[in-house]
Amino acid sequence: MAGKGVKRSSCLLLLQCEWDSCSYVCSRMEELCSHVSDHLRVQQLANGEEHVTCEDEFCCLWQDCGFFSLDSPAELARHVYFHCYHTKLKQMGLQALQNQPDLSPCQLDTQSRNMIPELQDCFVCMWEQCEASFDNAEWYYRHVDAHGLSAEYEMAGKENRVLMCTWKDCDCSCKSRCKLREHLRSHTQEKVVSCPNCGGMFSNNTKFYDHLRRQTSLDQHRFQCTHCSKRFATERLLRDHMRNHVNHYKCPLCDMTCPLPSTLRTHIRFRHSDERPFKCEHCDYSCKNLVDLRKHLDTHSKLPAYCCEYEDCSFTARSLCSVKAHYRKVHEGDSAPRYKCHVCEKCFTRGNNLTVHLRKKHQFKWPSGHPRFRYKEHDDGFLRLQLVRYESVELTEQLMKEREKQGATLDEASTCLVLNQGGSTGAEGTDIERTGLQKDYRYLPQ
């Protein structure tokens, strides 16, 4: 598969079923999906015979998944067939990695390798006069791709011929069939490769390779973000990262602004929703995501989950962060102050101590929706309060209009919306700007 192409691999795929303890392996998606449908049929018959009525009636038994449906066996089927599709993408990722011997494999935790996204009711083709629906993602993507393959050229002017996308509310035209098929993936959100280690899905090989390059050793990361000091292996990765600092969306319930719709949805779920769908089977604990539930489940284990890897050290803990903190403090001697107040230069060993200092000593505060202060590492190695947030020109204009409607002046709006020192506009407060970005996000180098 090329970096941004849509070629299908000609190499043999080893597609393994991971339903419960099944070890079935095949080479074609038709075979894998047919095999998995037998598992679904057997489970449905078993549930019918036992008259199961608990919430686990439609439970996915795919390894390391844990999904269950409260609605219907059809929802479970869509989910499990997506595991089949995901299995194929991981194989494609493995083959892509074998073709790049200079790249190191993914080093992330394998715990999420079979985590797949939440799916809509069904996959619906919105090509003109089609509206076919599918429960199987593989068949859906093949169906849409067939529209791209069979589209007919239309005249655009006297000499040019183009292929029109007739997807609902789309008027895009493409000069080649390859470009049209690639464009259709922007409608279907189809991914073409997945990391075989952590399960992350990507729309092309280039983004998959970027995923791996981000994990290279820090001494190879020569490009540094001026906003948060993170380092990257290539200049393009740095540009992509810097776009994430520009906010485009405002929460309708508080003052929080976010760079992406997905970030905004996550913010609303965690800050404004009381729903806690992930429940512990051992106690009354419940939480908002699977990661927190897994961390909690470690507390029920009699054995510590993590051990210090330092030679002759017997320290153990139930969380990875505790082991890392122990290692820094005991084995690396990391007890020197790293946080510094930008107002009075007082130093602290922990970020939360600096937070308390800023709130009590200097009366700093953050607006509703912002959960904490953020700190930025400076050239001298100290972390200081991050004073600037970036918003696109469009969002800035929207925020200004909202402030004007509320009776605030433009001067107030430009200095007091993110962090302020008790509402002060004195020397210590004016460097806290919300509208510090005077360049639109679109003008970043492409």
Side-chain angles (χ1 to χ4, degrees):
M1 191 188 309
K4 290 191 177 182
V6 293
K7 283 195 206 170
R8 305 298 178 183
S9 172
S10 59
C11 300
L12 181 67
L13 295 177
L14 296 177
L15 306 172
Q16 180 176 349
C17 174
E18 296 189 62
W19 183 269
D20 202 7
S21 57
C22 182
S23 58
Y24 175 83
V25 178
C26 60
S27 60
R28 298 173 64 247
M29 281 296 290
E30 290 84 354
E31 296 171 348
L32 179 61
C33 292
S34 176
H35 168 80
V36 165
S37 67
D38 291 337
H39 285 308
L40 291 169
R41 188 159 44 248
V42 169
Q43 187 195 45
Q44 188 174 357
L45 289 173
N47 287 344
E49 292 173 0
E50 298 172 10
H51 302 289
V52 179
T53 59
C54 69
E55 64 181 5
D56 291 332
E57 181 175 355
F58 308 118
C59 180
C60 177
L61 300 183
W62 208 268
Q63 292 181 26
D64 299 323
C65 178
F67 168 88
F68 66 86
S69 167
L70 295 177
D71 295 332
S72 68
E75 182 182 20
L76 175 63
R78 279 193 296 274
H79 171 88
V80 177
Y81 286 135
F82 202 92
H83 274 303
C84 297
Y85 168 67
H86 190 218
T87 297
K88 183 193 77 168
L89 295 193
K90 286 187 288 186
Q91 277 287 298
M92 305 293 274
L94 183 61
Q95 292 180 3
L97 183 58
Q98 291 169 347
N99 292 330
Q100 297 288 327
D102 59 315
L103 283 178
S104 299
C106 174
Q107 303 296 316
L108 300 181
D109 193 344
T110 60
Q111 197 173 38
S112 64
R113 67 183 183 89
N114 281 336
M115 291 295 165
I116 59 177
E118 295 182 11
L119 306 176
Q120 65 268 38
D121 291 341
C122 59
F123 300 97
V124 179
C125 176
M126 302 303 292
W127 190 264
E128 186 178 39
Q129 297 180 344
C130 182
E131 296 188 358
S133 63
F134 300 83
D135 283 332
N136 189 316
E138 176 75 10
W139 310 152
Y140 169 62
Y141 297 136
R142 290 189 187 185
H143 168 87
V144 174
D145 190 51
H147 282 304
L149 285 169
S150 61
E152 297 183 358
Y153 280 95
E154 299 180 11
M155 295 303 298
K158 293 183 178 180
E159 299 180 356
N160 294 329
R161 295 195 312 158
V162 297
L163 292 163
M164 298 299 300
C165 174
T166 64
W167 201 268
K168 183 179 180 181
D169 298 326
C170 181
D171 56 3
C172 177
S173 63
C174 301
K175 294 183 179 181
S176 69
R177 202 171 299 282
C178 178
K179 289 293 184 182
L180 176 60
R181 295 167 69 194
E182 183 178 337
H183 165 75
L184 284 173
R185 291 206 303 274
S186 69
H187 293 304
T188 63
Q189 303 302 307
E190 179 187 4
K191 308 300 181 184
V192 299
V193 65
S194 182
C195 177
N197 183 70
C198 71
M201 296 190 295
F202 307 93
S203 58
N204 55 59
N205 277 8
T206 299
K207 292 185 178 180
F208 172 46
Y209 297 149
D210 288 347
H211 163 73
L212 301 175
R213 290 189 181 99
R214 289 188 181 97
Q215 301 173 48
T216 57
S217 58
L218 289 178
D219 59 354
Q220 299 179 40
H221 290 196
R222 299 182 295 109
F223 301 91
Q224 186 173 19
C225 174
T226 56
H227 184 64
C228 69
S229 301
K230 285 185 178 180
R231 294 180 177 273
F232 298 88
T234 67
E235 186 176 5
R236 182 170 53 78
L237 288 178
L238 173 60
R239 289 200 305 267
D240 291 344
H241 161 80
M242 291 183 71
R243 291 188 177 95
N244 294 327
H245 286 307
V246 183
N247 298 312
H248 294 268
Y249 304 92
K250 181 185 179 298
C251 175
L253 303 173
C254 68
D255 294 324
M256 184 61 149
T257 55
C258 303
L260 299 168
S262 58
T263 313
L264 180 58
R265 287 194 298 269
T266 299
H267 160 77
I268 291 175
R269 185 171 76 248
F270 278 87
R271 299 293 298 177
H272 302 297
S273 172
D274 294 327
E275 184 179 1
R276 295 175 175 268
F278 296 89
K279 304 181 186 302
C280 176
E281 59 184 9
H282 304 294
C283 67
D284 294 334
Y285 176 86
S286 62
C287 55
K288 296 185 178 183
N289 62 30
L290 190 57
V291 174
D292 287 344
L293 178 59
R294 283 177 171 161
K295 290 179 180 178
H296 166 78
L297 289 174
D298 288 339
T299 65
H300 291 293
S301 173
K302 295 181 180 179
L303 298 175
Y306 301 94
C307 304
C308 178
E309 297 181 354
Y310 194 82
E311 187 177 0
D312 297 328
C313 181
S314 59
F315 180 83
T316 60
R318 287 180 175 172
S319 70
L320 181 60
C321 61
S322 297
V323 173
K324 288 182 176 180
H326 155 81
Y327 190 92
R328 288 195 302 268
K329 184 176 182 180
V330 176
H331 302 302
E332 294 183 341
D334 186 14
S335 57
R338 294 194 62 231
Y339 294 85
K340 179 177 284 191
C341 175
H342 70 288
V343 180
C344 66
E345 298 293 306
K346 186 173 182 180
C347 298
F348 302 86
T349 56
R350 300 174 63 188
N352 62 331
N353 291 339
L354 176 54
T355 295
V356 172
H357 168 81
L358 289 170
R359 295 184 65 185
K360 292 188 175 180
K361 178 68 175 178
H362 302 295
Q363 289 77 51
F364 276 83
K365 61 183 179 180
W366 53 80
S368 63
H370 293 256
R372 61 185 175 91
F373 290 140
R374 295 183 182 275
Y375 298 103
K376 172 184 175 182
E377 185 174 1
H378 289 244
D379 293 338
D380 59 3
F382 282 101
L383 290 104
R384 295 178 176 84
L385 182 65
Q386 191 164 289
L387 301 172
V388 177
R389 299 186 76 239
Y390 297 118
E391 263 109 26
S392 67
V393 170
E394 293 87 350
L395 181 57
T396 300
E397 291 174 351
Q398 174 191 334
L399 296 170
M400 292 295 189
K401 290 178 181 177
E402 291 180 0
R403 295 289 293 180
E404 285 182 303
K405 288 181 180 178
Q406 297 170 3
T409 66
L410 291 180
D411 289 338
E412 290 172 333
S414 65
T415 57
C416 302
L417 284 178
V418 168
L419 299 168
N420 59 59
Q421 192 174 18
S424 168
T425 56
E428 295 175 347
T430 52
D431 56 353
I432 302 169
E433 302 176 21
R434 182 167 193 142
T435 57
L437 180 70
Q438 297 305 314
K439 282 195 308 181
D440 192 344
Y441 155 91
R442 293 171 299 180
Y443 298 133
L444 289 172
Q446 296 297 319

